[in-house]
C-alpha cells in the first residue's frame, strides 16, 4: 500500500527564521513557499534526493499546526507516504480498525490528495497518505 516515503513534515514556530537556518546554515534552498489559507498554514518545500522536506508554520490561532506547536513545541510533525489511491487506502485502514483523522481525502499544499491517520494507531507517529496529482 505504501510506495515510498514522500516527505517529512516539520513544525516550526517562525518560518522565516527556519528558512534562514535551512538556507544559510544547511545550504538548502526551498523549491517553493506557499500558503494554504483554509488550513491556516504556510509551507516551505525542499527536495533532498528522493524525499522532500516540508516546513510547516501556523498563520492563525487554532490551526492544526498552531495546536501542535502549543502542545508539543517545534519538531517532527508527520511522515508522508506515497500511495496510489488515498480513498482506497483510507477504506482499507478503516476496515482494519485504524483510527483516521481524515475520513475522506483533502487537498494538500501542491494539489495532491492527502489524508492524515491518527498517531495513536501508528506507534505515535502522525502519518499522511499522499496521492500525486499533476
Ligand atoms: Co505533509
Amino acid at each position: 500500500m505504501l510506495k515510498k516515503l514522500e516527505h517529512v513534515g516539520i513544525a516550526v514556530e517562525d518560518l522565516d527564521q527556519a528558512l534562514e537556518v535551512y538556507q544559510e546554515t544547511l545550504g538548502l534552498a526551498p523549491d517553493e513557499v506557499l500558503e494554504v489559507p483554509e488550513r491556516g498554514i504556510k509551507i516551505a518545500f525542499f527536495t533532498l534526493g528522493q524525499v522532500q522536506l516540508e516546513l510547516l508554520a501556523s498563520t492563525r490561532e487554532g490551526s492544526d499546526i498552531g495546536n501542535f506547536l502549543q502542545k508539543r513545541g517545534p519538531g517532527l510533525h508527520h511522515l508522508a507516504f506515497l500511495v496510489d489511491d488515498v480513498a482506497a487506502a483510507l477504506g482499507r485502514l478503516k476496515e482494519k480498525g485504524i483510527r483516521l483523522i481524515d475520513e475522506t481525502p483533502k487537498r494538500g499544499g501542491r494539489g495532491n490528495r492527502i489524508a492524515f491517520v491518527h498517531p495513536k494507531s501508528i506507534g505515535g507517529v502522525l502519518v499522511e497518505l499522499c496521492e500525486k496529482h499533476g
Side-chain angles (χ1 to χ4, degrees):
M1 187 175 98
L2 306 182
K3 308 200 79 172
K4 67 164 195 159
L5 179 64
E6 210 274 332
H7 65 263
V8 176
I10 297 166
V12 300
E13 297 274 8
D14 181 331
L15 191 61
D16 291 333
Q17 199 180 41
L19 278 170
E20 207 177 295
V21 171
Y22 274 79
Q23 281 192 86
E24 305 299 322
T25 311
L26 302 174
L28 276 181
D31 300 328
E32 198 180 357
V33 179
L34 58 84
E35 202 168 333
V36 189
E38 66 268 30
R39 289 172 60 200
I41 57 173
K42 211 168 165 184
I43 317 173
F45 297 99
F46 299 82
T47 302
L48 259 178
Q50 298 260 310
V51 179
Q52 296 212 309
L53 283 183
E54 211 176 74
L55 298 185
L56 304 145
S58 175
T59 56
R60 65 169 153 78
E61 226 171 286
S63 71
D64 290 347
I65 294 298
N67 291 341
F68 178 89
L69 286 167
Q70 207 162 46
K71 228 161 78 181
R72 310 266 297 262
L76 182 62
H77 181 258
H78 66 274
L79 296 181
F81 296 102
L82 190 67
V83 296
D84 283 330
D85 183 334
V86 172
L90 286 174
R92 186 172 153 168
L93 291 175
K94 198 173 177 180
E95 216 178 83
K96 301 268 182 201
I98 299 286
R99 196 165 144 196
L100 305 176
I101 291 176
D102 299 307
E103 296 274 333
T104 53
K106 61 186 180 186
R107 194 180 70 85
R110 286 161 297 172
N112 297 330
R113 288 154 67 93
I114 66 167
F116 285 96
V117 181
H118 202 284
K120 282 240 161 73
S121 287
I122 312 194
V125 177
L126 177 60
V127 166
E128 175 186 333
L129 303 172
C130 173
E131 176 186 332
K132 289 268 180 205
H133 270 243

